[in-house]
Amino acid sequence: MSVRRVGALLGKELAHGPRNFMFVFAILVPLVLTVVLSLLFGNLLSGKPKLGVVDQGASRLVALAEEVDSILVRTYDSTDALRGAVRAGAVDMGVVLPGTFDDVVMRGDLAQLTAYVWGESLLKDRIVLGSAIASLVRKVAGQDAPVEIVTATVGDGESVPWDRRIVPFVVLMAIILGGSMIPATSLVDEKVKRTLTALTITPASAGEVFLAKGLVGFIISVFVGIFTLVLNQSFGTKPGLLVLIMVMSAMLAAAFGVLLGVVMKDINTLFATIKGTGILIYAPAILYLFPGIPDWVGRIFPTFYMVDPVVEVTQRGGGWAEVTPELAILAVLIAAMMGLVMVVSRRRQMVPA
Amino acid sequence: MNGRIIGSLVFKDLVLYFKNRFFAFITILGLVFYILIYTLMPSSVDETLDLAFYAPTLPPVLQDELVTEGVDIARLDSEEALKQAVIDGDYPVGIVLPEDLMPTLAAGGRGQIRVYFNADFPEDLEDSYTILMEEVGYALSGRELNLDVTEEVLGIDRAGEQVPERDRMRPLFAVFLLMVETLGLASLISSEIVGGTIQALLVTPMTVTGLFAAKGIMGVGLAFAQGVIVMAATGGLATNAGIILLALFLGSLLVAGVAFLIASVANDLMSVMGYGIIIMLALTVPALGVLIPGAMSDWVRVVPSFYLVDTVHQVANLGASWGDVAGNMAILLAFSAVIAALGVFALKRRFQ
């Protein structure tokens, strides 16, 4: 094993990488996904009912509605626009406030309100919006509630908002795309183009080629993984520990990528494998979306030991002590995967297709 | 174009495909996972508010009003039992109406209602319950709101019979399955290009059109068969199966055309993936509109897969008939025919 040759191969991979689709894909997808998901879970999938308002005057109700945490408010210029939004499901309910609405309410006269309800809106959303509108009208009228509501939180659970639940998925995708897909596609591509044969008749050994390919995936994986954590505002707590987790996760992903590249004879088979096994790889992150599912289910999957330490550190406030058992298992998995790569590549004698 | 030659080529490709046990296994595994995801997801939509009450005397006006509005009320025997039920997760929210509430309100005083939230209840949704309880307070004190609301439901009122999320995912499954086969078909053609077998085939009586017709039949057939299996297993063919089958077939034709177009510009397998993934993402966008209603504006109608997705959603989830989706089908047919023709034309230009 020559460090110089591995370095030369690595340099070549990094220099030519940006021209490779998978290279760009592995870097861009987690970043784009982070932005898209933050938009989606920030508003669209928040679980809050959406109220559309057309204010034909200057009602205080709109400003008061925007202060209510449990509903989302969107304003529209015309009744037609509001009706279109309700019909499309952009809002669950829409109300048109006449120009004199506040005056009528404050005088205590009977106020008229037109409410459009989206046919597919949930009953509970209609209830929440209905009571919110009633409450807002009472506030505009200056009424004081006849009851004081005293709230208390019981139990020791934790509410995990969707934008946080999705972080493990995005981080795992960053690690797998960079760590596994880059070496795998690169190796298969070289096999198909027969440049791998050309490489192995140079002084470079098969092991050096694999190591160089794996290192590219490893570097991209660590870089994109950390960048994804930063983008998701999850890197601030214990950066040293998180870097270690990223490094170990990227090692396992890169070893898996090299294994795929060694075993798969063409790109069709490679993508068929990814298609079929993708759900197994991402299962722990998908399970994390549903906190009610028991923890042991996720532990069946090897990628759990990449995801769980990230969740432990970034969301549960854990430290070295809490993640050490999972990292120990991850280390065993890395060793096993590397051993498997060596055995398989020796058996196949790295014969290109 | 010779039908016998095309048939032979399709047969050879299919035999080769299924001779590869690994490839066949992975394809079946993919189908199993789609069906598994569907099966594991909730089959109904819980659209009622579950409230647990402890109230020594639960005023009838409260029970009548909330139950008719779609709130499930459970009564517990004590405040401690209520708190424990909330802690155990039996109810997300527990409400205590103290014994002195009604007398206090009747005397014109200000009463108190205690609300317990489970710790995993989203904090920013808590005020929906406090607002609801304030309104309960107004109702109990007899202070009616001087408001006349005219309500109009837009679209079919599905209160009580909502479409479950897993059924909303069926159009997404259809598009994914078809698009993944697009990548497969484009890769197949591309591998023929890279391997040089296309030129070899073209010196036989096989024509360029015949060659790609054979590849198209294979790709469309595989995509269509997988789409039908997933739809059948997820109940998507339960009503108006003929419409769904035709829509899937037109969708398969569309993606075969897309595959031809990709193969006509791609130079190697990786560029197939490059073009393919971008197009796949674009064609998936309309399916997200079904999953997240209101997230898309009308521009999404320029994406051809919209007419496949919308048809599957309308028919499988909302019970639409031929008449309801005739427009969709006509546009999907036009898109499919044009794109398939463009694909064949582009490939012919490249190889002749």
Side-chain angles (χ1 to χ4, degrees):
Chain A
M1 182 76 68
S2 159
V3 175
R4 195 178 55 80
R5 280 198 295 269
V6 172
L9 287 166
L10 179 62
K12 184 215 90 174
E13 291 288 334
L14 289 173
H16 290 270
R19 295 179 214 165
N20 181 311
F21 156 72
M22 189 49 70
F23 202 94
V24 179
F25 189 74
I27 293 173
L28 282 184
V29 164
L31 308 184
V32 172
L33 205 61
T34 298
V35 175
V36 171
L37 289 175
S38 63
L39 284 173
L40 279 175
F41 291 105
N43 257 342
L44 292 172
L45 301 179
S46 64
K48 297 178 183 179
K50 296 180 274 290
L51 175 67
V53 183
V54 174
D55 186 7
Q56 293 173 335
S59 176
R60 284 178 56 223
L61 190 141
V62 180
L64 290 169
E66 283 167 349
E67 290 172 8
V68 179
D69 285 340
S70 58
I71 63 171
L72 296 170
V73 180
R74 291 177 188 167
T75 53
Y76 295 89
D77 294 333
S78 67
T79 305
D80 283 345
L82 177 69
R83 286 175 62 96
V86 173
R87 193 177 289 280
V91 290
D92 293 286
M93 190 182 285
V95 290
V96 180
L97 302 173
T100 57
F101 184 77
D102 284 17
D103 294 337
V104 172
V105 168
M106 283 190 285
R107 280 201 306 269
D109 294 345
L110 181 67
Q112 303 285 338
L113 202 63
T114 306
Y116 300 105
V117 180
W118 178 40
E120 292 180 46
S121 68
L122 301 180
L123 267 175
K124 58 184 170 191
D125 290 344
R126 298 183 195 188
I127 294 166
V128 168
L129 288 172
S131 59
I133 290 169
S135 169
L136 293 168
V137 173
R138 289 185 195 276
K139 280 186 181 164
V140 171
Q143 294 184 17
D144 287 327
V147 289
E148 177 195 6
I149 311 295
V150 180
T151 64
T153 299
V154 292
D156 54 3
E158 188 197 2
S159 166
V160 184
W162 276 93
D163 58 341
R164 279 174 65 196
R165 286 188 207 181
I166 204 78
V167 171
F169 184 81
V170 183
V171 172
L172 186 60
M173 181 173 268
I175 293 166
I176 296 293
L177 277 179
S180 299
M181 293 300 291
I182 289 178
T185 52
S186 176
L187 271 168
V188 171
D189 199 34
E190 297 237 27
K191 271 191 205 175
V192 171
K193 289 178 178 164
R194 299 180 188 278
T195 46
L196 202 54
T197 314
L199 263 178
T200 51
I201 57 171
T202 69
S205 69
E208 287 166 352
V209 174
F210 291 163
L211 184 59
K213 300 275 186 197
L215 277 174
V216 177
F218 169 79
I219 292 166
I220 300 299
S221 184
V222 171
F223 168 75
V224 183
I226 290 173
F227 197 48
T228 306
L229 282 172
V230 172
L231 274 182
N232 284 283
Q233 299 167 341
S234 302
F235 195 62
T237 46
K238 294 178 180 70
L241 183 53
L242 282 170
V243 168
L244 175 69
I245 296 167
M246 288 296 109
V247 165
M248 291 181 72
S249 301
M251 284 170 79
L252 180 59
F256 179 61
V258 172
L259 180 70
L260 283 177
V262 171
V263 173
M264 301 301 151
K265 61 179 178 139
D266 58 39
I267 209 87
N268 281 337
T269 320
L270 175 65
F271 279 98
T273 311
I274 291 160
K275 178 180 151 190
T277 58
I279 197 149
L280 295 174
I281 292 170
Y282 293 107
I286 293 169
L287 291 173
Y288 186 71
L289 295 174
F290 307 98
I293 297 174
D295 189 47
W296 66 264
V297 179
R299 289 181 180 274
I300 297 168
F301 304 95
T303 47
F304 172 86
Y305 303 94
M306 298 175 174
V307 171
D308 192 64
V310 174
V311 173
E312 186 64 46
V313 174
T314 61
Q315 300 188 9
R316 300 186 198 126
W320 289 93
E322 285 79 12
V323 298
T324 299
E326 278 71 29
L327 290 185
I329 296 172
L330 186 56
V332 172
L333 288 171
I334 293 166
M337 186 63 75
M338 286 182 168
L340 194 61
V341 170
M342 288 205 290
V343 170
V344 171
S345 56
R346 269 187 202 144
R347 266 196 192 167
R348 301 203 167 210
Q349 296 177 316
M350 215 190 68
V351 179
Chain B
M1 207 160 40
N2 184 318
R4 195 178 54 79
I5 296 175
I6 292 172
S8 303
L9 195 56
V10 171
F11 182 72
K12 181 217 66 168
D13 278 345
L14 279 173
V15 168
L16 279 179
Y17 187 92
F18 285 104
K19 252 190 174 176
N20 185 337
R21 286 183 189 169
F22 176 76
F23 222 135
F25 173 73
I26 288 294
T27 302
I28 292 165
L29 195 67
L31 289 178
V32 168
F33 277 128
Y34 279 116
I35 296 165
L36 194 66
I37 290 170
Y38 178 85
T39 311
L40 290 176
M41 288 184 74
S43 60
S44 61
V45 178
D46 178 12
E47 57 173 335
T48 55
L49 286 175
D50 295 322
L51 296 179
F53 273 92
Y54 166 63
T57 50
L58 191 65
V61 59
L62 172 70
Q63 191 155 359
D64 294 346
E65 187 170 318
L66 288 180
V67 169
T68 52
E69 282 182 350
V71 180
D72 275 350
I73 290 181
R75 287 191 68 180
L76 283 93
D77 296 333
S78 67
E79 188 164 347
E80 280 312 306
L82 178 89
K83 281 169 75 173
Q84 194 55 50
V86 174
I87 289 169
D88 293 344
D90 298 338
Y91 302 96
V93 180
I95 292 151
V96 177
L97 303 182
E99 199 161 6
D100 63 350
L101 178 65
M102 290 305 289
T104 307
L105 292 175
R110 194 157 195 249
Q112 189 188 70
I113 296 177
R114 291 191 287 282
V115 183
Y116 293 107
F117 292 101
N118 185 295
D120 66 8
F121 190 84
E123 202 175 321
D124 52 0
L125 295 182
E126 286 182 2
D127 71 2
S128 58
Y129 285 86
T130 58
I131 288 170
L132 185 63
M133 285 305 110
E134 274 183 6
E135 284 308 305
V136 165
Y138 280 111
L140 293 177
S141 63
R143 290 166 62 181
E144 294 284 322
L145 184 61
N146 206 11
L147 183 68
D148 179 26
V149 180
T150 308
E151 191 176 288
E152 184 184 345
V153 176
L154 300 181
I156 300 166
D157 191 351
R158 307 201 73 83
E161 46 184 28
Q162 300 287 347
V163 178
E165 289 298 312
R166 68 178 196 170
D167 289 345
R168 288 184 179 276
M169 287 186 81
R170 283 191 292 220
L172 186 67
F173 290 163
V175 172
F176 262 159
L177 277 169
L178 298 184
M179 279 312 300
V180 170
E181 286 311 316
T182 299
L183 300 183
L185 180 58
S187 301
L188 196 66
I189 298 170
S190 185
S191 65
E192 300 264 13
I193 298 165
V194 174
T197 49
I198 274 189
Q199 297 306 330
L201 275 169
L202 290 178
V203 295
T204 71
M206 170 69 77
T207 61
V208 172
T209 308
L211 175 70
F212 294 111
K215 300 290 180 197
I217 290 168
M218 156 100 175
V220 169
L222 275 176
F224 180 69
Q226 290 183 57
V228 170
I229 289 169
V230 168
M231 278 296 153
T234 58
L237 299 179
T239 51
N240 286 325
I243 309 176
I244 300 281
L245 291 176
L246 181 59
L248 285 176
F249 176 75
L250 293 176
S252 304
L253 190 63
L254 172 78
V255 297
V258 170
F260 287 171
L261 282 173
I262 293 170
S264 73
V265 291
N267 292 320
D268 57 23
L269 295 169
M270 291 312 291
S271 57
V272 165
M273 299 312 299
Y275 290 116
I277 298 278
I278 291 167
I279 295 172
M280 186 173 171
L281 290 175
L283 292 183
T284 306
V285 167
L288 297 178
V290 174
L291 273 177
I292 313 163
M296 308 290 161
S297 52
D298 279 349
W299 62 261
V300 80
R301 289 172 184 271
V302 305
V303 183
S305 57
F306 170 83
Y307 301 94
L308 168 65
V309 164
D310 195 50
T311 301
V312 172
H313 175 57
Q314 295 284 340
V315 175
N317 295 337
L318 307 177
S321 63
W322 284 100
D324 298 325
V325 295
N328 272 359
M329 296 295 256
I331 298 171
L332 181 59
L333 173 64
F335 265 124
S336 301
V338 168
I339 291 174
L342 278 175
V344 170
F345 176 73
L347 276 177
K348 280 177 92 170
R349 272 193 63 160
R350 182 164 178 181
F351 294 108
Q352 281 186 332

